[in-house]
Amino acid sequence: MKASDVVDLFFRPKRFFEEVDIDRRPWYLTLLLLVGISTASGRIDSNLMRADMGQPRPGWEDYGPLVTESWVSYWLFVLLAAVLSAVFYWYVRGWWYKVRLRWSGAESPDARVARLVLVSASLVASAPVVAFLLVEMASFPNYRAAWDSEAMASSVLLVFPFWSLYASYRGARTRFDLGKWRARIWFFILPFLMYMITFGIFAVLYAILVEPASVGGDRFASLALGAAERWG
């Protein structure tokens, strides 16, 4: 896979899915790992946000510090969770992607191709998250310090789940024979609305339950990424 292919995926997804062989083991296994890492990181952010709102999950106060106060323990947890998340993403999310292809007009869509398109499009959302984590690791002594930094740069991550919807939509339209508007509804419009609804609900709750002075980090990007995991 060339760097220009990745650029095409971000900026010319139709061309990417027309010309690039996405059924290569190093390619899709790497992408699954990145998806798993971004998902596991989002789970940690979700727990931190719940704790900020005074509603921590059972046990988080005990094991949370072990995960967030050391980069070694953070990455051990994330990588272990990433494997499970990747398996879920490939089988369950891949199944849901195939269902939407059928609802969009594809007759007997190939399950493997559907999963490969899904995983390829996921790079648009997951790669920036992993890159941002690496920057944070180089900038802060642990993840808790990064969370408490209120780094506004993390808000940039908000755009990528929405961007990945377009890549997914173009991949579906390019690799499968779909009805134009049905594909738009199932692969772009409905997921977009679910992102916005989920993001809005959590943003309002966070604003109500957490005093502005005590908000740790600009982490609403995690909410959008969590929505992407469920609905995209």
Side-chain angles (χ1 to χ4, degrees):
M1 189 70 61
K2 305 187 295 294
S4 60
D5 293 331
V6 177
V7 172
D8 282 343
L9 176 59
F10 274 78
F11 298 102
R12 295 179 292 271
K14 185 175 186 295
R15 178 178 174 181
F16 172 87
F17 285 106
E18 285 177 340
E19 299 181 0
V20 174
D21 177 14
I22 58 177
D23 193 2
R24 288 187 285 181
R25 187 178 294 270
W27 166 253
Y28 65 79
L29 289 181
T30 299
L31 298 194
L32 282 170
L33 178 61
L34 293 178
V35 168
I37 290 172
S38 65
T39 301
S41 174
R43 299 291 188 194
I44 294 173
D45 286 358
S46 176
N47 278 298
L48 286 167
M49 295 183 79
R50 287 176 63 98
D52 285 345
M53 292 187 290
Q55 299 177 344
R57 286 192 173 91
W60 174 253
E61 293 179 345
D62 295 324
Y63 75 82
L66 298 176
V67 174
T68 60
E69 294 181 5
S70 164
W71 281 117
V72 172
S73 59
Y74 177 88
W75 280 106
L76 284 174
F77 174 87
V78 165
L79 291 174
L80 288 173
V83 175
L84 297 176
S85 296
V87 172
F88 177 89
Y89 198 86
W90 178 260
Y91 288 104
V92 179
R93 292 289 311 284
W95 167 83
W96 173 233
Y97 201 86
K98 182 182 176 182
V99 169
R100 288 186 291 156
L101 287 171
R102 289 202 304 267
W103 289 347
S104 299
E107 296 183 5
S108 301
D110 185 278
R112 181 173 181 82
V113 176
R115 289 186 171 100
L116 291 169
V117 171
L118 168 68
V119 171
S120 295
S122 73
L123 181 66
V124 176
S126 59
V129 174
V130 177
F132 189 73
L133 281 174
L134 295 177
V135 171
E136 288 185 319
M137 188 170 64
S139 305
F140 299 97
N142 53 56
Y143 193 72
R144 181 76 237 190
W147 175 269
D148 291 337
S149 71
E150 300 186 9
M152 294 300 293
S154 64
S155 61
V156 176
L157 297 177
L158 279 171
V159 70
F160 292 103
F162 297 94
W163 196 340
S164 72
L165 288 180
Y166 179 70
S168 176
Y169 165 74
R170 294 310 316 178
R173 287 287 311 279
T174 301
R175 292 292 180 123
F176 298 92
D177 184 16
L178 307 179
K180 183 177 181 179
W181 274 104
R182 281 189 287 176
R184 286 179 178 178
I185 290 170
W186 284 110
F187 287 94
F188 192 81
I189 296 174
L190 288 180
F192 183 92
L193 291 175
M194 292 308 304
Y195 286 18
M196 294 301 295
I197 291 170
T198 303
F199 174 78
I201 289 173
F202 277 91
V204 169
L205 288 174
Y206 204 55
I208 292 173
L209 297 175
V210 182
E211 294 182 6
S214 66
V215 173
D218 180 49
R219 293 294 173 164
F220 292 124
S222 299
L223 300 176
L225 291 168
E229 176 195 346
R230 294 172 178 83
W231 304 107

